[in-house]
Amino acid sequence: MNLSVNEFLDTVQNPLTRKGYRHGIKKFCDYYEKTAEEILNQRKDDLTQKTGENLIEYKNRSVRFSTEIEKFHGYLLDKGFSTNSARSLTIGIRQLFRFYQMPVQIRAGSKVTKTVKTSKSFPLRIEHVRRMFDIADIRERVILSMATDLGLRIGDFIAIKKEEIPSLDQQTPIPFDTMTGKEEVVAYGFLSQETVDLLKVYLPTLTKKSNPYLFPSNGKSHISDEWLSKLLKRLAQKAKIPMNNKSLTFHCFRKMLISASIDSGIGLTAGKKLVGKAIPQSDDTYLTTINLKKKFIQLKSFQTIKQKPKVETETIEKLQKAVTKLQEDLTIQQTITNSISKENLKIRHELGRIQPIVDFVNTYNRDKEHQKLLEFVKAEGESDPAYASDIILDETLEEEMLEISEKEGISKAEAMGKIAR
């Protein structure tokens, strides 16, 4: 098989990454004093056990370039390169070996893999984005708004195609999933209402139908990462944002979103899920698309580019207070209603008890008979109820009452009560 550096570099999509790999490989070749092709063939030979060679000799040859890369890293540090730069320059040759299925294993604890936290990156915040947004044109505004929503790496962002934009007539936020190139992890992002409004204006301006990209170049490809980096620097300068010797890159949007994930309370894991950063499988189980949508809405309350006018905010606060007052009044009214309802039930129960007597009374049409019944009921309600013998009732009623009294061995008043029921 013909081993070629160019074949490897052609597979690297990100121009900046490709440039970094090429530079690192050249540095290693100069240090090792061999061409890349010679180094690849030597690596291939090291991994092939020779006839009559014992296992120890073979193992020592197979780790040759692990040792050489560590020496190369130390050489770079001696030349004045920073810890992070020295590590980055070793990645190109390591990835070249990996591409041809001849990976180099770096020993645990090696300085080659060490990095230090730097403060060269500009701490981008949403207020900086707002200032750039105010002086930007429509395409630049789309870039700023989508970058704030998605937090993608620059290579994944500039490669977005027009056909990948979902229907903008959906309810926002609109899901926008992207397979990331570096980690091959899906970024479960969303497009906010302000981004959707901008896209509806921007998309009709893309007159070059032959160019499929959302942010096309003058040719048939998309804008370059160099062009986008220069755009951000120009917008920052035009917006008069003090950089304080820091570097504003597209990656700052990614850091801003992840930081806002912590500040907004949605959590680091959800932030990584939104931007397409690898997370443990155990955490991934608990983040469904529905939960992420809710978390994105919560995040955007901290990351909205278009601020609401002060008058509108004050009006909303007044409405919120009015609603709270109405809710309190409603609670009081509900309490009163419940009390009345309980009293009504009590009255209804009492009416139910005397209703049979009322119905019985209504069967008599003469006022004289009504008077007799009322006197009888009054007598029955005394503390020591006794039948008033001087009250003369209808003969039929009198006979029925006496019959019940004698038959059941009860008083005439109790017999009259049974007739009433």
Side-chain angles (χ1 to χ4, degrees):
M1 180 178 65
N2 186 27
L3 305 178
S4 168
V5 175
N6 290 333
E7 183 181 0
F8 157 66
L9 292 174
D10 287 343
T11 65
V12 182
Q13 296 182 352
N14 190 307
L16 281 179
T17 304
R18 183 168 57 249
K19 182 179 180 180
Y21 286 173
R22 180 183 289 111
H23 182 56
I25 292 171
K26 184 179 184 305
K27 282 281 186 184
F28 184 80
C29 291
D30 292 342
Y31 159 81
Y32 200 63
E33 297 181 345
K34 289 183 182 293
T35 66
E37 286 72 19
E38 289 174 335
I39 292 172
L40 284 170
N41 284 315
Q42 187 173 7
R43 176 61 178 162
K44 180 181 177 182
D45 184 64
D46 284 345
L47 295 177
T48 305
Q49 189 170 5
K50 299 178 180 179
T51 303
E53 184 180 32
N54 62 50
L55 185 60
I56 295 177
E57 292 175 341
Y58 164 63
K59 288 291 185 181
N60 286 334
R61 281 195 305 108
S62 66
V63 298
R64 181 205 306 268
F65 281 101
S66 298
T67 304
E68 292 297 338
I69 289 175
E70 288 202 37
K71 291 180 179 179
F72 172 60
H73 181 267
Y75 162 81
L76 293 172
L77 293 176
D78 292 340
K79 287 292 184 179
F81 286 90
S82 67
T83 301
N84 290 350
S85 295
R87 172 187 172 276
S88 297
L89 288 171
T90 66
I91 295 177
I93 189 65
R94 290 157 60 193
Q95 289 296 100
L96 176 62
F97 288 144
R98 184 184 298 275
F99 176 76
Y100 284 108
Q101 304 300 315
M102 301 184 296
V104 172
Q105 185 69 36
I106 301 298
R107 64 182 178 83
S110 172
K111 293 182 179 180
V112 173
T113 59
K114 299 295 182 181
T115 60
V116 295
K117 187 176 180 179
T118 64
S119 58
K120 292 181 180 179
S121 181
F122 180 71
L124 184 67
R125 298 191 300 273
I126 193 62
E127 51 264 34
H128 299 135
V129 181
R130 289 170 183 156
R131 290 172 63 174
M132 291 189 285
F133 188 88
D134 288 340
I135 50 90
D137 61 28
I138 181 62
R139 180 165 75 160
E140 293 165 350
R141 287 186 171 188
V142 173
I143 291 173
L144 292 172
S145 189
M146 286 190 70
T148 301
D149 282 354
L150 302 176
L152 293 173
R153 293 186 178 86
I154 190 169
D156 297 320
F157 185 83
I158 60 179
I160 296 174
K161 295 182 178 180
K162 292 181 287 187
E163 63 181 18
E164 295 173 356
I165 300 298
S167 171
L168 301 179
D169 295 327
Q170 306 176 56
Q171 182 179 358
T172 57
I174 300 174
F176 187 78
D177 299 347
T178 307
M179 176 61 74
T180 59
K182 183 176 181 180
E183 295 186 61
E184 295 185 347
V185 174
V186 177
Y188 294 96
F190 293 87
L191 300 178
S192 64
Q193 183 63 56
E194 55 190 356
T195 295
V196 169
D197 292 339
L198 289 167
L199 284 170
K200 287 181 178 179
V201 178
Y202 171 68
L203 286 173
T205 67
L206 301 177
T207 56
K208 292 183 178 181
K209 296 183 179 180
S210 59
N211 193 313
Y213 294 101
L214 183 63
F215 304 112
S217 65
N218 292 329
K220 294 184 178 182
S221 185
H222 50 68
I223 57 174
S224 65
D225 48 2
E226 291 92 349
W227 183 93
L228 184 51
S229 297
K230 290 179 181 179
L231 168 67
L232 294 177
K233 292 176 183 178
R234 178 170 56 82
L235 288 175
Q237 291 175 353
K238 194 174 180 180
K240 297 181 180 180
I241 298 174
M243 303 303 297
N244 298 322
N245 296 321
K246 304 291 183 179
S247 177
L248 175 61
T249 65
F250 191 79
H251 200 73
C252 294
F253 285 91
R254 187 175 179 85
K255 291 183 177 180
M256 179 179 69
L257 193 151
I258 293 177
S259 296
S261 298
I262 300 172
D263 296 337
S264 65
I266 73 170
L268 179 60
T269 300
K272 289 182 177 181
K273 190 80 171 177
L274 289 170
V275 303
K277 197 170 179 64
I279 60 176
Q281 184 64 35
S282 57
D283 294 338
D284 191 32
T285 305
Y286 300 100
L287 287 173
T288 64
T289 304
I290 296 176
N291 287 336
L292 282 175
K293 185 174 183 178
K294 292 179 180 178
K295 290 183 180 296
F296 178 81
I297 294 172
Q298 181 178 336
L299 172 70
K300 288 304 290 184
S301 64
F302 286 76
Q303 292 288 93
T304 303
I305 296 177
K306 293 182 180 179
Q307 290 180 292
K308 295 180 180 179
K310 185 177 180 181
V311 176
E312 180 182 347
T313 304
E314 292 176 351
T315 302
I316 292 175
E317 290 177 353
K318 290 179 180 178
L319 288 173
Q320 288 175 337
K321 290 180 180 178
V323 170
T324 302
K325 183 64 169 59
L326 286 173
Q327 289 174 336
E328 292 174 353
D329 293 344
L330 181 61
T331 302
I332 294 173
Q333 291 296 326
Q334 188 66 43
T335 302
I336 295 173
T337 302
N338 291 338
S339 299
I340 293 174
S341 297
K342 291 179 180 179
E343 192 63 31
N344 287 342
L345 288 173
K346 183 178 179 181
I347 294 171
R348 184 180 298 177
H349 178 70
E350 295 297 329
L351 288 175
R353 292 178 58 193
I354 67 172
Q355 188 63 41
I357 297 177
V358 174
D359 293 340
F360 180 77
V361 170
N362 287 337
T363 62
Y364 289 83
N365 296 322
R366 292 173 297 173
D367 292 339
K368 186 177 181 180
E369 296 296 333
H370 285 174
Q371 181 64 32
K372 291 179 180 180
L373 285 170
L374 289 174
E375 290 175 356
F376 182 84
V377 172
K378 180 179 179 181
E380 186 186 23
E382 297 293 336
S383 59
D384 184 15
Y387 174 62
S389 58
D390 59 334
I391 299 175
I392 302 174
L393 301 175
D394 179 85
E395 292 181 2
T396 304
L397 182 63
E398 182 80 18
E399 291 175 358
E400 185 178 354
M401 181 180 61
L402 288 172
E403 182 181 350
I404 294 173
S405 176
E406 293 174 358
K407 185 177 181 179
E408 298 187 14
I410 58 177
S411 68
K412 292 181 180 180
E414 291 172 328
M416 188 61 197
K418 288 199 171 189
I419 294 174
R421 288 196 291 270

